[in-house]
Amino acid sequence: MHQRSQKSSFRYIAFEGIDGSGKTTQAKLFVEFLKREGKSVFFVREPYNEKLRNILLNENFNDKAKLFMFLADRSELADLIFEKLKESIVVSDRSFFSTLAYQGYGDKMDVEFLFELNMFALEGLKPDVVFCIDIPVEIMHKRIKSRDFIESKGDDFFRRVRDGYLGLGKFCENYFIVDGSRSENMVFEEIVGIWKGLIGSQALS
């Protein structure tokens, strides 16, 4: 499988977690933090194509159809991310880890196979760092007021997704599970602390 090169040095950071975890809020806070640090930052969320996002979140397709739509969107997005990584840090709200958790564990598809499909679509592009914001399903219910099609799935589905996220560190060297049940500030402080630790260790190497 042909793979394109990407700059390392923790330049592609993804935020993951089940719905209601606060990952989008934390991703945006992290973007602002990096900008204050004088970094050039590009923020993106998945699905990237807005028309496809609306279809995927509000229409009922079979599992394989959804998977291939996500892969098509991700393949297009990869071209943009490879380009942005030449000059900027890329912060992403979701990544292929969402497919491993939702379609793999949630919909009970083969996780290893999904990983290979994503690597083919992405030409080997993977986040350098993943912050997985973890919350129990019970907290998810308290936080989400209105629900799209995916968010309306049952508790067993979301428990499988959450359990999946907790075990996905094998696909990323720097995969950090952060307790999202705490206050927004406490979660953010932990993320920044982890980030500074990574940057510090890099400077010493």
Side-chain angles (χ1 to χ4, degrees), residues 16-165:
E16 290 284 356
I18 66 172
D19 299 271
S21 63
K23 61 174 181 52
T24 300
T25 297
Q26 294 300 326
K28 291 180 178 179
L29 287 172
F30 191 67
V31 167
E32 294 306 313
F33 162 76
L34 291 176
K35 288 180 177 179
R36 291 195 299 270
E37 294 286 301
K39 308 296 185 184
S40 172
V41 187
F42 177 71
F43 174 70
V44 67
R45 67 174 185 168
E46 292 193 11
Y48 180 67
N49 184 295
E50 288 296 331
K51 291 182 180 179
L52 188 59
R53 168 185 286 272
N54 290 332
I55 292 172
L56 282 166
L57 297 183
N58 296 292
E59 299 289 341
N60 184 12
F61 293 94
N62 68 49
D63 293 344
K64 285 188 284 187
K66 287 188 295 182
L67 170 64
F68 287 118
M69 283 189 278
F70 276 119
L71 290 171
D73 179 78
R74 200 163 282 141
S75 181
E76 287 293 316
L77 177 58
D79 290 336
L80 178 60
I81 292 178
F82 274 119
E83 187 64 29
K84 293 295 183 181
L85 283 172
K86 295 176 182 178
E87 299 178 348
S88 302
I89 294 175
V90 174
V91 176
S92 180
D93 178 356
R94 295 205 181 279
S95 68
F96 77 87
F97 281 91
S98 289
T99 289
L100 302 187
Y102 279 78
Q103 277 73 55
Y105 288 92
D107 289 330
K108 302 181 180 180
M109 300 178 73
D110 187 293
V111 175
E112 296 290 341
F113 177 63
L114 292 179
F115 175 74
E116 293 300 326
L117 282 177
N118 275 274
M119 289 300 94
F120 174 74
L122 291 163
E123 298 186 60
L125 177 67
K126 296 193 294 184
D128 299 307
V129 183
V130 176
F131 292 109
C132 178
I133 315 301
D134 176 52
I135 59 169
V137 172
E138 292 74 18
I139 291 181
M140 180 194 77
H141 287 313
K142 293 178 181 179
R143 291 182 176 180
I144 297 178
K145 304 303 180 184
S146 60
R147 302 187 179 190
D148 57 38
F149 178 77
I150 293 176
E151 292 168 345
S152 298
K153 292 197 173 187
D155 285 1
D156 287 344
F157 171 84
F158 280 103
R159 289 194 178 95
R160 291 196 301 273
V161 172
R162 184 197 179 195
D163 289 343
Y165 268 127

Side-chain angles (χ1 to χ4, degrees), residues 171-190:
F171 294 105
C172 179
E173 182 178 353
N174 298 297
Y175 187 92
F176 300 96
I177 297 170
V178 180
D179 181 1
S181 64
R182 301 167 296 169
S183 70
E184 180 181 296
N185 287 339
M186 290 180 68
V187 174
F188 182 62
E189 286 176 4
E190 180 175 349

